[in-house]
Amino acid sequence: MLDLRNLTKSFGDKIVLNDINLQLTNPSSLYVLTGESGSGKTTLFNILFGLDNDYQGSYKLFGKDSKAYKNQDWDHLRTNEIKMVFQDFKLFEQLTVYENLYLSGDYKGDEIYSVLESMDLLELKDEVVKNISGGQKQRVAIGRAVLGSPKIILLDEPTGNLDGMTTDKIMSYISKLKNKGISFFVITHDDSILDYADIVFKLENGKINQTNSKNEQEYSETKQKSYQLEKTKQKKHVLLYTFLSVFRKMKRISLLGVPIVIILLLFILSFTAFQAASLESFTNFFSGVDNKSIVFSTQKLTSEAAEDLKENNILASHDGKRIGFSNEDVKKVENIQHIDKIELTVEGIQSFYDHEGNRFEYRLDYENIPAFLRKDLAQIRNGESITFTLTAQSVPYSVIHNYNVNNINIISGEFPKDDSKEILIPDLYAFMISDSENYTNLINSTIELDVTSAKNDMITEEYKIVGIYDTGYRYNLSPSYPIYVGYFHQAESQDKLTEEAYQFHVQTYKINKATEEYSKNITKDFEHFKRSMGTGFDQMIVVVDNEENFESVYNELKKVFPKYQFISQYDLKNGDLSFVYHSLVRNLVVGSITIAVIIGLVVIFLNKGYIYDRTKEFAILFCQGYSKKDIIKIISLENGVIFTIYFLIAYLLAFLSDFIFLNTSKYGHLFTNLLTFENVVSLSLLVIIIVSLSIIWGVKGIKNNNLIKLLKD
């Protein structure tokens, strides 16, 4: 079974084992090794148990060179064939006596109870090991070793700590087991054990000598059947051990969890807020234009066209042909197939009056604020105010749903129609005139406003409330909010076709020779100026009949107006404005990754320390035949369970924080997506990545050599 030939072991210049020869051939014998402390007995056992391969000479275990065994072979051997009882027991302190035995291998309850009874431990089966005495721990360690009837058991001072049970009783039990085919090799200073020994060896000055022998039958290694290492792996209780480990260390895990939960809470809130702020930027950037609309202006050139003008020192924002779109331009567009609507407007015009020229402005002071709003508008108490002003829509009603240029979020009702006395009011104004939080009854009702007419007379006009829009005042209070009236033509061409307007353009483009030459088709004479002004409208809104036809219409429009910058969903992501889109995407990705990395590093370091503190525990598993893969499974499962609990607690705290005070603060809008499926999934995936990285980093230190070192210390 064990065959050592000319084996030498040194530590530096000190020779501990000097050219020793030792053969243990009888599977039913008790071998005893004596020697003074420090003589090398434990060193020899470490070699026999496969914990030390740094020696010279030969050590054959079951007829095979021990160095030829792979790590997985040793896992099998330590589980089934050769076991060792250490001086410090190598027990799981947080588990019960029964659990220590049960988790050491695939053993039935009857077998475990039989061993406990034989070791006088049955009454302690449910006692946690850390609460029992040293002698009782010694017996638990011996009981665990004899389970499964291995071929060899190595015992390092098995009776050194016995209490409440005599050495005779332990040795009688061992004698019974050896008669069943188990070979025992014992290190001891206890002379009473020598009476039970079949062969006694003494280690002295690095040499092993046999000092006594009795009842030793002739037994030759050649008489044994050749040993074949079984490839089947004994079942390991990975799941049960993980569950028990988490359950029994709940207090420690809870203490460790306090900083991690706080960190995860901050991670959840900061990530959610950053995502919301980034998405808000996306929303603002992409708002207004839908998937079927294309908007372009005579005053906005493509970046390529603008760069060409700049290189030629031309300081102009037009294409050299037109200031406004002509009727011919409109006809060309109308001839393009699959166009549903065309509207011409004046870009950038904001009129603070209705189609009749009436103006209205109302200042809301703190005294006039409904009681239920005063908490949200408390800053007005300090002398600030909110102003409501009549403001005309800059886009016709026919295309307002396609090109909602002001990004108006209607919460009830509809947009006002063109050239009408209909109005769309802000929610704050609705609260004020209804004096309650329920304003739905205002839709289609009429209201009288004291307005200033086009002739500057104070008159009363009646308007119909057709819609109410969301101001988001709880999150970002503005000093003024529009009361929208319907669109009307705010700039006719004849208003621009004056001699004064013509001379203004002439002087504007005389800034340098290059600009003057480039603009001659506009400023050559009044007739050229009139032709370039066209209809007087410089913005065209084109709506395609179907999204499937968008690309064809888009390409045809580019042929007609190649120098104009188009605004569409396509252009925002792929065209002239795509740099803004890509910048937003980059900021979102980089910001999210940065937050995850910062939080992740903190969590990883905390978890790394937790795993490192448990290496002694993993070493105990290792000496019982648990492979490195088994240990990694345990670490992964345990971290998965623990961090799932931490994450759920952190998310619950985040929800409570939002429910109690965040949603009522001015930053509340940043947490509206806290419980959305996308946000939960994103955060969960990031936490999984963080935990996975911490596990990978943590288990890098779980190496066989490190575990062996812990067992030898």
Side-chain angles (χ1 to χ4, degrees):
M1 293 184 295
L2 298 178
D3 187 355
L4 282 68
R5 306 277 180 173
N6 306 115
L7 188 142
T8 299
K9 171 66 181 177
S10 302
F11 292 101
D13 295 333
K14 183 181 180 181
I15 298 175
V16 180
L17 303 175
N18 187 9
D19 198 33
I20 65 171
N21 292 279
L22 178 67
Q23 290 79 42
L24 307 185
T25 59
N26 195 335
S28 299
S29 296
L30 172 59
Y31 300 89
V32 175
L33 178 64
T34 64
E36 294 182 0
S37 296
S39 61
K41 301 187 299 297
T42 301
T43 299
L44 175 61
F45 267 32
N46 287 334
I47 292 173
L48 298 181
F49 199 53
L51 302 180
D52 191 344
N53 287 322
D54 184 17
Y55 57 82
Q56 291 78 46
S58 170
Y59 164 39
K60 289 185 177 181
L61 177 62
F62 303 120
K64 182 177 180 179
D65 188 345
S66 67
K67 291 184 178 180
Y69 286 123
K70 298 178 181 178
N71 288 333
Q72 56 265 38
D73 296 331
W74 275 109
D75 294 336
H76 174 87
L77 289 168
R78 294 187 187 109
T79 299
N80 301 285
E81 313 298 349
I82 180 169
K83 296 189 180 182
M84 182 169 174
V85 178
F86 295 84
Q87 285 191 53
D88 59 352
F89 322 127
K90 305 295 188 223
L91 298 172
F92 298 114
E93 296 283 322
Q94 78 277 11
L95 301 182
T96 66
V97 170
Y98 180 88
E99 289 163 352
N100 267 272
L101 271 63
Y102 181 78
L103 292 171
S104 64
D106 189 16
Y107 307 118
K108 295 180 180 180
D110 291 344
E111 187 177 359
I112 296 172
Y113 278 107
S114 176
V115 170
L116 290 174
E117 186 175 15
S118 300
M119 300 301 295
D120 203 12
L121 291 169
L122 201 53
E123 291 183 356
L124 296 175
K125 66 181 180 65
D126 296 322
E127 191 67 47
V128 177
V129 165
K130 68 179 180 180
N131 296 330
I132 63 178
S133 68
Q136 290 165 336
K137 291 178 182 178
Q138 182 85 70
R139 283 183 275 151
V140 173
I142 295 172
R144 182 180 63 185
V146 302
L147 276 173
S149 300
K151 290 182 173 61
I152 303 172
I153 296 180
L154 309 174
L155 298 100
D156 194 351
E157 298 290 353
T159 61
N161 293 289
L162 289 182
D163 57 356
M165 187 177 187
T166 65
T167 299
D168 289 340
K169 195 167 184 178
I170 286 286
M171 297 312 299
S172 296
Y173 179 61
I174 290 176
S175 296
K176 291 179 183 178
L177 290 173
K178 78 167 186 175
N179 293 331
K180 295 181 179 179
I182 300 177
S183 181
F184 289 87
F185 194 8
V186 180
I187 294 175
T188 188
H189 289 97
D190 187 353
D191 290 341
S192 64
I193 292 180
L194 302 180
D195 295 335
Y196 296 91
D198 293 307
I199 297 181
V200 178
F201 299 100
K202 186 172 184 178
L203 178 58
E204 189 174 22
N205 298 322
K207 297 288 188 179
I208 290 182
N209 297 303
Q210 183 174 322
T211 61
N212 187 30
S213 176
K214 66 175 181 179
N215 302 325
E216 177 67 0
Q217 302 173 0
E218 281 291 326
Y219 194 91
S220 172
E221 197 76 29
T222 59
K223 294 181 182 179
Q224 300 182 64
K225 294 179 180 179
S226 61
Y227 178 79
Q228 294 294 326
L229 188 67
E230 296 180 16
K231 298 299 181 183
T232 56
K233 190 174 185 298
Q234 191 184 57
K235 175 184 175 184
K236 298 297 183 184
H237 303 286
V238 171
L239 284 174
L240 179 60
Y241 179 83
T242 303
F243 170 77
L244 290 173
S245 179
V246 171
F247 183 74
R248 296 291 164 74
K249 292 183 292 188
M250 192 60 69
K251 183 177 180 181
R252 182 184 177 192
I253 291 171
S254 299
L255 291 174
L256 175 68
V258 172
I260 292 181
V261 167
I262 293 173
I263 291 167
L264 288 176
L265 170 63
L266 295 175
F267 174 51
I268 291 168
L269 293 177
S270 59
F271 182 84
T272 302
F274 178 78
Q275 290 276 77
S278 300
L279 291 174
E280 188 176 343
S281 299
F282 272 86
T283 301
N284 292 336
F285 185 59
F286 290 105
S287 62
V289 60
D290 68 3
N291 292 324
K292 297 194 298 180
S293 302
I294 304 168
V295 182
F296 50 97
S297 167
T298 62
Q299 301 304 304
K300 287 187 178 179
L301 303 179
T302 65
S303 57
E304 184 180 356
E307 189 63 30
D308 287 341
L309 294 181
K310 184 178 178 181
E311 288 179 0
N312 290 290
N313 198 28
I314 298 172
L315 305 179
S317 58
H318 56 75
D319 64 350
K321 297 179 182 178
R322 60 177 73 80
I323 297 175
F325 290 107
S326 65
N327 290 321
E328 290 76 12
D329 291 331
V330 175
K331 288 179 181 178
K332 288 180 182 179
V333 175
E334 288 176 340
N335 289 332
I336 298 175
Q337 292 184 339
H338 304 300
I339 289 181
D340 182 34
K341 302 171 190 174
I342 302 172
E343 289 286 357
L344 296 177
T345 64
V346 177
E347 185 189 23
I349 293 293
Q350 190 76 69
S351 299
F352 300 100
Y353 46 85
D354 65 13
H355 69 287
E356 293 179 348
N358 299 315
R359 299 184 299 275
F360 172 78
E361 184 176 293
Y362 176 78
R363 175 176 172 175
L364 176 62
D365 296 313
Y366 188 80
E367 292 74 18
N368 297 323
I369 297 175
F372 65 89
L373 278 178
R374 290 189 175 182
K375 179 182 177 183
D376 296 320
L377 306 180
Q379 64 196 74
I380 297 180
R381 185 196 292 267
N382 301 322
E384 299 181 24
S385 63
I386 299 175
T387 303
F388 302 99
T389 308
L390 278 186
T391 305
Q393 291 280 9
S394 56
V395 174
Y397 180 82
S398 63
V399 293
I400 189 66
H401 295 284
N402 304 102
Y403 187 44
N404 182 1
V405 65
N406 293 314
N407 194 26
I408 300 170
N409 179 23
I410 294 182
I411 51 181
S412 183
E414 183 54 277
F415 286 100
K417 293 182 177 60
D418 301 345
D419 301 312
S420 70
K421 284 296 187 71
E422 297 177 346
I423 57 175
L424 171 65
I425 64 174
D427 51 8
L428 278 177
Y429 194 74
F431 290 141
M432 188 193 71
I433 61 179
S434 66
D435 201 29
S436 73
E437 295 184 70
N438 183 13
Y439 47 67
T440 54
N441 60 326
L442 293 176
I443 301 299
N444 294 324
S445 67
T446 57
I447 184 174
E448 292 185 343
L449 300 179
D450 295 327
V451 300
T452 302
S453 70
K455 296 180 180 180
N456 288 325
D457 297 325
M458 292 298 298
I459 61 175
T460 300
E461 287 286 329
E462 190 175 83
Y463 293 87
K464 181 181 179 181
I465 300 173
V466 294
I468 300 169
Y469 70 90
D470 180 21
T471 60
Y473 66 91
R474 291 184 179 87
Y475 314 124
N476 185 23
L477 187 63
S478 174
S480 63
Y481 292 102
I483 296 175
Y484 288 106
V485 296
Y487 171 84
F488 55 88
H489 290 318
Q490 300 170 57
E492 299 292 347
S493 60
Q494 56 266 30
D495 297 332
K496 300 180 179 181
L497 295 177
T498 62
E499 184 64 28
E500 184 179 358
Y502 168 62
Q503 291 300 328
F504 172 80
H505 282 81
V506 170
Q507 294 302 317
T508 298
Y509 300 135
K510 277 186 177 181
I511 191 168
N512 60 37
K513 278 289 184 183
T515 305
E516 186 178 9
E517 179 66 21
Y518 176 75
S519 305
K520 65 182 180 180
N521 286 330
I522 296 174
T523 60
K524 184 177 182 180
D525 52 41
F526 190 79
E527 190 61 33
H528 279 77
F529 175 67
K530 180 179 178 181
R531 188 161 52 248
S532 69
M533 189 63 68
T535 61
F537 296 103
D538 59 8
Q539 179 171 263
M540 185 179 295
I541 303 168
V542 177
V543 180
V544 182
D545 61 2
N546 192 296
E547 287 185 37
E548 296 177 357
N549 300 318
F550 179 88
E551 186 176 355
S552 64
V553 173
Y554 182 92
N555 292 333
E556 290 299 319
L557 284 173
K558 270 296 180 182
K559 291 178 182 177
V560 179
F561 307 107
K563 291 187 176 183
Y564 293 153
Q565 182 184 84
F566 285 11
I567 298 175
S568 69
Q569 285 294 326
Y570 172 82
D571 287 279
L572 293 174
K573 296 179 182 178
N574 306 286
D576 215 35
L577 299 175
S578 61
F579 72 95
V580 181
Y581 169 77
H582 293 302
S583 175
L584 290 173
V585 172
R586 184 171 59 253
N587 291 342
L588 175 61
V589 173
V590 172
S592 301
I593 291 175
T594 301
I595 293 172
V597 167
I598 293 172
I599 299 296
L601 286 175
V602 177
V603 172
I604 287 171
F605 272 103
L606 286 172
N607 199 39
K608 169 74 172 179
Y610 174 68
I611 294 174
Y612 179 79
D613 290 343
R614 297 184 57 207
T615 48
K616 186 175 181 180
E617 178 185 336
F618 300 143
I620 297 173
L621 290 169
F622 176 78
C623 76
Q624 294 176 56
Y626 280 75
S627 66
K628 183 179 178 180
K629 287 183 180 179
D630 292 327
I631 294 172
I632 291 174
K633 285 180 184 177
I634 290 170
I635 294 173
S636 302
L637 286 170
E638 186 170 321
N639 274 264
V641 171
I642 291 172
F643 274 90
T644 297
I645 295 171
Y646 289 162
F647 182 67
L648 291 175
I649 293 173
Y651 225 112
L652 177 61
L653 292 176
F655 167 74
L656 291 175
S657 300
D658 180 53
F659 181 76
I660 294 171
F661 63 90
L662 286 178
N663 69 335
T664 59
S665 71
K666 65 178 182 179
Y667 303 109
H669 65 292
L670 296 177
F671 303 99
T672 54
N673 295 328
L674 183 64
L675 295 180
T676 61
F677 177 78
E678 292 81 5
N679 196 59
V680 174
V681 169
S682 298
L683 284 165
S684 299
L685 289 175
L686 285 172
V687 169
I688 289 171
I689 293 172
I690 291 170
V691 175
S692 299
L693 291 175
S694 72
I695 292 172
I696 292 170
W697 191 32
V699 300
K700 282 187 71 176
I702 309 299
K703 297 179 181 178
N704 285 3
N705 291 339
N706 294 342
L707 297 175
I708 288 171
K709 183 179 178 181
L710 285 168
L711 290 173
K712 292 162 62 177
D713 289 345

